[in-house]
Amino acid sequence: MTIFEISAILIVMAALFGYINHMVFKLPPTIGLVVMGLLASFAAMGLDRLIPGFTMVADLRAFVSSIDFYDALMNGMLGFILFAGALHVNFADLAHEKWMVILTATVGLLISTFIIGYGLNWYAGTPLLVALVFGALISPTDPVAVLGMLKTIRVPKSLQTKIAGESLFNDGVAVVVFLILAALAFGDGGQATGPLDVATLFFRDAVGGAVLGAVAGWLTCRLLAEVDEYVLEVLMTLALVMGTYALAGALHMSGPIAVVLAGLVVGNSGFEYGMSERTRLHVERFWHLVDEILNAALFLLIGIEVLAIPFESKTMHVIFLMIPLVL
């Protein structure tokens, strides 16, 4: 299938399931799409067992397998989603809660990674480094779901800032930890993976990505201050995200951390000093729409991905143990 065909199917399904959720289930949009995707997947599995010659599951599995999830998420959706989330985080509030955000996004993430990794290693006998890779993969909280829930419930502003800041930054930190552990577990083409190499990799990815994003965001704010044309300024923010993420990848830095810093700079300095009120509203609405559309597609993918999981009786007990352990 072509990229356009895959995108068309996902958007049509997201719109249909989103409508059903809005009219019937009335769950938060992202959660509703995951649930609808899961229900559709399980319904297809049930029909496949009841009706001989029914090929829907096979067709859906072929569709799911045709999607490169790593490429779609890491080199497609993630940068836009993180930037859109970072635009709405107040830098002054974040600076006030900086130590809690830093601790939870780094130390907290590492604690979670090791608890899950050692738990999986102890219970299922999974090689420790492989289990830790899974721990790094599953530990970070989802910034989109977190920010979406914070819009619908009332919590103290300081707690909201801590949760939102942690959810944004731990994605970038988790990507770095994941890549380091994956290199240690599976090798990375012969590159050394001693303590100094790991420290260098972390510093280059995390700190380098943060500096790159902050500089790119600052330069973009300077350019935004010179014009007052909302179409051009929306285009400039779009170029900032795509260009920064691509450049970070080329320099082997963390693209997620880079776009989060760029979003923080634009969402604070850019909105306050570089844009008129009309432009700011257009930029905010544009990124809100991008955020909602990409998340609809992403959470629907999570729901239908269950079709690609080889459920076997001998591994089900591990799955049922890991869910409460992760939570």
Side-chain angles (χ1 to χ4, degrees):
M1 295 181 108
T2 65
I3 294 177
F4 177 78
E5 290 171 335
I6 292 172
S7 301
I9 292 172
L10 288 175
I11 293 300
V12 170
M13 292 176 66
L16 176 61
F17 288 170
Y19 176 80
I20 295 172
N21 175 61
H22 180 76
M23 299 300 293
V24 179
F25 296 102
K26 302 187 185 302
L27 293 169
T30 52
I31 297 174
L33 284 168
V34 174
V35 172
M36 292 294 294
L38 285 170
L39 291 176
S41 300
F42 290 135
M45 291 179 184
L47 290 173
D48 194 53
R49 290 181 177 274
L50 291 173
I51 304 175
F54 194 70
T55 61
M56 181 179 286
V57 171
D59 295 338
L60 287 171
R61 279 181 178 152
F63 167 68
V64 172
S65 64
S66 67
I67 302 172
D68 187 333
F69 271 63
Y70 180 87
D71 195 49
L73 180 61
M74 296 300 298
N75 298 324
M77 300 179 180
L78 187 60
F80 299 105
I81 291 171
L82 290 176
F83 181 83
L87 282 177
H88 302 288
V89 177
N90 185 280
F91 194 77
D93 293 338
L94 186 64
H96 188 262
E97 304 292 346
K98 60 182 180 296
W99 293 117
M100 182 58 70
V101 170
I102 291 171
L103 284 173
T104 51
T106 54
V107 178
L109 179 88
L110 290 173
I111 291 172
S112 174
T113 297
F114 278 91
I115 289 174
I116 294 169
Y118 275 93
L120 182 59
N121 167 257
W122 170 78
Y123 184 76
T126 305
L128 180 58
L129 282 174
V130 176
L132 289 172
V133 170
F134 173 73
L137 173 75
I138 207 70
S139 287
T141 54
D142 170 59
V144 181
V146 167
L147 294 173
M149 291 300 290
L150 289 175
K151 293 175 185 176
T152 61
I153 60 175
R154 290 187 176 183
V155 296
K157 191 172 183 62
S158 61
L159 180 59
Q160 181 176 346
T161 302
K162 292 171 187 174
I163 296 173
E166 187 268 349
S167 69
L168 283 169
F169 282 101
N170 71 8
D171 266 34
V173 175
V175 168
V176 175
V177 174
F178 172 82
L179 292 175
I180 291 172
L181 289 171
L184 292 170
F186 308 113
D188 58 350
Q191 182 176 331
T193 52
L196 181 59
D197 301 293
V198 169
T200 302
L201 179 62
F202 186 87
F203 184 84
R204 184 191 66 197
D205 278 31
V207 180
V211 172
L212 174 64
V215 171
W218 178 78
L219 289 174
T220 301
C221 288
R222 295 294 299 270
L223 296 175
L224 290 170
E226 300 297 322
V227 295
D228 186 19
E229 173 53 54
Y230 72 85
V231 175
L232 175 58
E233 293 184 68
V234 167
L235 181 61
M236 290 168 68
T237 60
L238 189 61
L240 169 64
V241 176
M242 299 179 73
T244 301
Y245 201 94
L247 181 59
L251 296 175
H252 304 290
M253 296 176 181
S254 173
I257 290 179
V259 294
V260 165
L261 263 295
L264 285 172
V265 173
V266 172
N268 288 270
S269 297
F271 280 176
E272 186 172 354
Y273 304 112
M275 298 180 190
S276 64
E277 182 65 19
R278 184 182 71 152
T279 297
R280 184 183 64 79
L281 288 174
H282 278 92
V283 170
E284 285 185 328
R285 288 169 181 169
F286 170 80
W287 281 105
H288 176 73
L289 285 173
V290 169
D291 189 23
E292 294 293 334
I293 292 170
L294 288 180
N295 276 290
L298 176 59
F299 280 85
L300 177 63
L301 278 174
I302 293 171
I304 63 175
E305 174 69 1
V306 70
L307 291 167
I309 299 174
F311 289 102
E312 299 176 359
S313 57
K314 64 181 180 181
T315 59
M316 290 303 292
H317 64 99
V318 179
I319 294 174
F320 285 117
L321 173 77
M322 292 312 297
I323 290 174
L325 179 60
V326 168
L327 293 176

